[in-house]
């Protein structure tokens, strides 16, 4: 089996000092650390070394954390085939891992590792230095056994960055510990997510509903008729973004190059043909197809996305949190087809389309069976942490 | 059959903002290759573009100066194509939601009537890198210079309102004046800060047809734009008259042969909204604040020159066209120079002299203060016009004040009546035939005598007093 780490930091002590003193963190090769091999798991970037630290990396270092190294990732972090995300945490090699969440990767990796996984609100964490594929859908996720660790890290890395103007002007969440009153807290369960569940997804969801009811939360069943469209919208809009995003991988300044081409055009085409793996290549093809052949369908998908956002806002106005199922099992390389990948991530992809925060929590039984997801409104990240920590506390016999 | 042309222009203007459009690199494309670069404008993975506020403001002022309406919301799109000068694979441009819509310029047409030439929209975009083709031994190589990559551009897209090369040239001149006033760009076609593409089609005169257009590029002066359009109109007319059809394509203007030649089209893909750069939102208040930053524009300034300083319309238009000239003129007036003197000496002496020396009015060593001092000495009769012209030459070459130059080099005008009296007597004595001519009624002889007296004084005599004294003397003779 491939090793978990593809690069280990020769420095083992922290450079800064602060609230994260001594915390060991791993990142992946699509998160820039100056001078480290940053190939985003793709031959298209082979030999590329980051020129600068990503904003979140420099903030973690300043706060005293040690970046231990880079863990093996899927190509461009799209899906989890070939990725070892989550393994470093589950084996105790690090306290936390950073994993880009394009369609639910940080949450599914957490599920695989039986730890907590968090995807922040879109724009909450600077994207400067992150080598993404689907800019409007992705953000950096965090995995750890300890939800408190995740909260402390997000508190450090969140917030405006003069190098990334896409962060919202809205007021930042207050990440200090908050009280949760179950009797005044409504958790919505979307009817449409309860049907078609497979394997232990269904029993895990029911176990979660029971756990919340027992803790005194109000469970409210709500309908979201178009929930299944999240996957479709992500697939179309995401692939178009990926296609133009990956247009720059031309083998000229870095990346795999096929020698002997007669001209630049041939070099571009043949190098790209060899550089990209099958899954990413089919995704890029699909994006190019919508961009060049079916632009109307792409525009429709953008309109549907705007409508889904409105629907989600309405839904979130009637509940404090949403409870959603986790994925059915964990991905293997056998599922690394485009449709297989989307099927795998169908429970998580909604949060990437809407930009809202979502949290994966392992099941109460502590076994490797499916846990569940909690989601909050956009920029409700701090409340979501409070809710998660409240539940985990109860499990350990604490009161609140 | 008589044809008329339907012409629209696409004008790229490179903004003179301090930095590039999406990063802090200096916007100096002419520097040593690849010096002004960073991960953002090298388009490296992980870089995040950030829209420059200065470039946005310069673009917005340009829009306002052209009478365009700034849009409350505009946004960047990715114009998707790969080319070695665009290794990112897309250019950030505003395809769907441009910065402004509408606007236009009134020109005076060849027949003296006013013609409104409308602008469809104005959008911002980033420039691409520059390809330099060289030989390495016998192998042709292409080098990429990223200094220009990400430089801030606006594109002004007109309505197809133009019918003649003249209209296109007048429009470009007026546009250049407006944009220079707004302070957004030098708009020099020669230096490449203004690049013009013309879309030309022809139709039988009087019909409303819109036929297949041909795009013409590569003109590097306003005159070339006129020539290229004229050539393309006759080429297409000949084509149609020979029974051929005009096909949609792009042609390059060859300034030496004065013809347009077909070029291979560059593939351009569709535009998709950019998911990274936030949309630009301008409130009514923002727009009002921008508008208040526009200076007095050339038309208003010319009008004021006429009403306030008594210049003719033509003079006022000439002075107000170039903001540097207008500012120089007004500084002279501020120093107490009479408007007509300032206008006359600026247009006939200083501007040609500055141009001959390859200088700019804004930076010439002959500052308005020095030039005003010279003109003051002229109007106080301390020097005459001949001497003033000579002192001006010295002003370019030395840092001395006009006063010092006049004294040191003896340019001071001789106004002493006694001194001039004897000078006149001497010349009259030397020129008896001219005196006779005058007495015989040949008034031209007077001018000849004045010339002789001036020469005898070494050009320093006060011509007014000479004329007065001479007339009296000749009368008595």
């Amino acid at each position: 089996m491939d090793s978990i780490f593809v690069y280990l930091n020769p420095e083992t002590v922290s450079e800064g000092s602060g609230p994260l003193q001594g915390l060991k963190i791993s990142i992946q090769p699509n998160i820039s650390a100056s001078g480290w091999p940053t190939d985003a798991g793709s031959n298209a970037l082979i030999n590329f070394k980051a020129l600068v630290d990503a904003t979140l990396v420099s903030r973690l270092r300043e706060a005293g954390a040690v970046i231990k190294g880079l863990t093996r990732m899927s190509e461009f972090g799209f899906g989890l085939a070939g990725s070892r995300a989550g393994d470093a945490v589950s084996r105790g090699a690090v306290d936390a891992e950073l994993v880009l969440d394009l369609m639910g990767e940080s949450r599914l990796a957490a599920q695989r590792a039986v730890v907590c996984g968090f995807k922040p609100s879109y724009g909450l964490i600077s994207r400067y230095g992150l080598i993404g594929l689907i800019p409007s859908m992705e953000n950096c996720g965090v995995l750890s056994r300890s939800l408190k660790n995740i909260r402390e890290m997000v508190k450090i890395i969140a917030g405006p960055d003069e190098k990334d103007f896409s962060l919202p002007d809205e007021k930042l969440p207050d990440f200090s510990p908050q009280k949760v009153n179950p009797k005044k807290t409504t958790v919505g369960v979307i009817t449409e997510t309860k049907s078609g569940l497979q394997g232990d997804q269904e029993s895990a969801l029911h176990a979660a509903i029971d756990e919340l009811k027992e803790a005194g939360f109000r469970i409210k069943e709500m309908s979201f008729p178009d929930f299944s469209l999240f996957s479709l919208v992500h697939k179309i809009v995401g692939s178009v973004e990926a296609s133009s995003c990956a247009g720059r991988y031309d083998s000229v300044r870095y990346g795999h190059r096929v020698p002997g081409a007669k001209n630049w055009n041939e070099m571009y085409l043949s190098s790209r043909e060899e550089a990209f793996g099958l899954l990413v290549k089919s995704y890029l093809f699909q994006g190019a197809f919508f961009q060049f052949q079916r632009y109307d369908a792409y525009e429709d998908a953008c309109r549907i996305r705007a409508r889904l956002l409105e629907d989600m806002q309405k839904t979130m106005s009637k509940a404090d949190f949403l409870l959603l199922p986790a994925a059915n099992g964990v991905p293997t390389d056998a599922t690394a087809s485009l449709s297989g990948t989307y099927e795998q991530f169908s429970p998580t992809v909604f949060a990437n389309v809407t930009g809202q925060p979502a949290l994966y929590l392992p099941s109460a039984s502590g076994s490797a069976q499916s846990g569940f997801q909690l989601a909050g409104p956009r920029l409700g990240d701090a409340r979501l942490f409070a809710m998660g920590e409240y539940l985990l506390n109860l499990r350990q016999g604490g009161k609140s | 059959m008589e044809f008329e042309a339907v012409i629209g222009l696409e004008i790229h203007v490179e903004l003179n903002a301090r930095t590039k459009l999406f990063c802090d690199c200096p916007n100096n494309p002419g520097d040593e290759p690849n010096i002004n670069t960073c991960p953002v404008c090298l388009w490296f993975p992980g870089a995040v573009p950030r829209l420059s506020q200065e470039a946005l403001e310069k673009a917005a002022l340009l829009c306002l100066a052209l009478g365009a309406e700034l849009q409350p919301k505009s946004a960047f799109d990715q114009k998707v194509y790969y080319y070695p000068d665009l290794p990112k694979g897309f250019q950030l441009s505003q395809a769907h939601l441009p910065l402004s819509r509408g606007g236009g310029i009134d020109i005076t047409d060849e027949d003296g009537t006013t013609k409104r030439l409308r602008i469809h929209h104005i959008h911002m975009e980033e420039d691409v890198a520059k390809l330099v083709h060289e030989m390495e031994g016998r192998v042709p190589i292409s080098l990429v210079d990223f200094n220009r990559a990400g430089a801030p551009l606006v594109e002004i897209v007109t309505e197809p309102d133009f019918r003649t090369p003249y209209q296109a040239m007048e429009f470009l001149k007026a546009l250049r004046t407006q944009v220079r006033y707004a302070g957004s760009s030098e708009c020099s076609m020669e230096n490449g800060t203004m690049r013009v593409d013309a879309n030309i089609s022809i139709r039988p005169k009087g019909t409303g047809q819109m036929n297949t257009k041909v795009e013409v590029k590569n003109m590097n002066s306003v005159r070339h734009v006129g020539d290229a359009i004229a050539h393309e109109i006759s080429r297409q007319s000949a084509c149609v008259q020979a029974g051929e059809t005009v096909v949609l394509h792009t042609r390059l203007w060859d300034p030496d042969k004065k013809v347009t030649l077909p070029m291979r089209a560059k593939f351009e893909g569709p535009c998709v909204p950019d998911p990274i750069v936030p949309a630009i939102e301008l409130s009514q208040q923002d727009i009002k604040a921008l508008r208040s930053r526009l200076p007095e524009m050339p038309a208003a300034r010319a009008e004021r020159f006429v009403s306030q300083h008594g210049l003719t319309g033509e003079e006022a238009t000439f002075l107000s066209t170039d903001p540097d000239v207008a500012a120089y003129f007004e500084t002279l007036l501020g120093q107490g120079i009479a408007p007509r003197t300032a206008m006359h000496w600026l247009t006939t002496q200083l501007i040609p002299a500055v141009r001959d020396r390859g200088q700019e009015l804004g930076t010439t060593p002959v500052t308005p203060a020095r030039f005003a001092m010279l003109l003051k000495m002229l109007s106080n009769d301390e020097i005459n016009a001949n001497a003033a012209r000579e002192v001006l030459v010295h002003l370019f070459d030395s840092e001395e004040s006009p006063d010092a130059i006049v004294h040191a080099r003896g340019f001071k005008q001789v106004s002493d009546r006694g001194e001039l009296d004897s000078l006149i007597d001497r010349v009259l004595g030397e020129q008896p035939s001219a005196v006779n001519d005058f007495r015989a009624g040949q008034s031209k002889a007077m001018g000849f005598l004045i010339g002789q007296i001036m020469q005898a004084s070494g050009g320093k005599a006060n011509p007014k007093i000479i004329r007065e004294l001479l007339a009296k003397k000749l009368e008595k003779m």
Side-chain angles (χ1 to χ4, degrees), chain B residues 52 58 99 159 184 232 305 381 387 391 402 407 426 449 470:
Chain B
S52 148
K58 294 238 176 202
L99 183 60
E159 298 282 359
S184 302
E232 191 53 28
F305 284 176
D381 281 342
V391 175
H407 284 102
R426 200 182 88 211
L449 286 167
L470 181 66

Side-chain angles (χ1 to χ4, degrees), chain A residues 129 162 244 248 250 253 291 295, chain B residues 42 46 50 78 82 87 270-271:
Chain A
E162 57 170 23
S244 66
R248 74 187 65 197
D250 58 7
R253 294 173 288 177
Q291 202 169 50
Y295 193 77
Chain B
L42 288 168
R50 289 161 297 150
Q78 304 177 340
Y82 181 88
C271 290

Side-chain angles (χ1 to χ4, degrees), chain B residues 14-15 60 66 207 216 333 349 374 405 409 428 465-466 473:
Chain B
E14 196 161 294
L15 298 171
L66 297 175
T207 66
V216 184
L333 300 195
Q349 301 298 324
L374 176 70
I405 293 171
R409 297 179 189 262
L428 291 181
I465 300 179
I466 297 272
K473 273 186 204 289

Side-chain angles (χ1 to χ4, degrees), chain B residues 351-428:
Chain B
I351 292 173
V354 164
R355 199 190 302 127
D356 286 349
R357 286 164 176 78
Q359 297 175 349
E360 300 287 334
L361 208 52
T363 52
T364 174
V366 186
T367 59
R370 297 176 85 213
F371 195 54
M373 206 184 282
L374 176 70
L375 295 183
K376 250 182 228 168
M377 295 178 81
L378 176 72
S379 40
N380 293 343
D381 281 342
E382 288 173 56
I383 52 171
N384 61 31
N386 280 333
R389 278 191 282 273
E390 289 198 43
V391 175
L392 178 58
V393 174
H394 289 284
L395 285 181
F396 279 102
D397 303 330
S398 96
E399 285 174 13
E400 286 176 282
S401 72
D403 200 38
I405 293 171
V406 164
H407 284 102
R409 297 179 189 262
F411 283 119
K412 211 162 167 62
Q413 180 160 264
V414 177
S415 300
D416 182 279
R417 282 169 185 265
E419 205 175 312
L420 292 178
D421 215 39
S422 47
L423 189 70
I424 292 170
D425 287 343
R426 200 182 88 211
V427 172
L428 291 181

Side-chain angles (χ1 to χ4, degrees), chain B residues 449-460:
Chain B
L449 286 167
I450 291 176
Q452 291 298 310
I453 298 162
M454 287 300 292
Q455 209 175 349
S457 75
K460 286 180 244 166

Side-chain angles (χ1 to χ4, degrees), chain A residues 45 48 51 122 127-131 135-136 162-165 241 244 247-248 250 253-254 264 268 291-292 295 298, chain B residues 39 42-46 48 50-51 78 80 82-84 87-88 90 96 146 267 269-273 275-276 278:
Chain A
L45 280 94
F48 180 69
L51 300 174
Y122 177 80
R127 272 202 316 262
Y128 180 77
L130 306 186
I131 300 175
S136 81
E162 57 170 23
K163 293 176 184 141
D164 180 359
F165 286 176
E241 285 185 21
S244 66
R248 74 187 65 197
D250 58 7
R253 294 173 288 177
Y254 52 84
W264 65 263
Y268 181 73
Q291 202 169 50
F292 292 92
Y295 193 77
Y298 164 72
Chain B
L42 288 168
W43 297 315
F44 270 133
V48 180
R50 289 161 297 150
L51 180 64
Q78 304 177 340
V80 178
Y82 181 88
Y83 200 72
K88 181 170 52 162
F90 60 83
H96 299 302
F146 281 85
F267 173 77
C271 290
V272 292
I276 294 184

Side-chain angles (χ1 to χ4, degrees), chain B residues 110 164-173 176 188-190 194 196 198 216 218-231 253-255 258:
Chain B
E110 278 164 295
T164 63
Y166 180 85
Q167 291 171 356
M169 291 192 292
E170 286 303 300
F171 178 87
L172 291 174
K173 284 188 233 166
R176 182 169 59 195
S188 159
M189 291 192 70
E190 290 78 5
M194 181 159 93
V196 179
V216 184
N218 197 41
M219 292 80 83
N220 51 17
S221 73
V222 171
R223 160 66 37 197
H224 282 175
V225 174
D227 289 349
I229 290 173
H231 175 268
W253 170 247
D254 182 330
K258 296 200 180 300

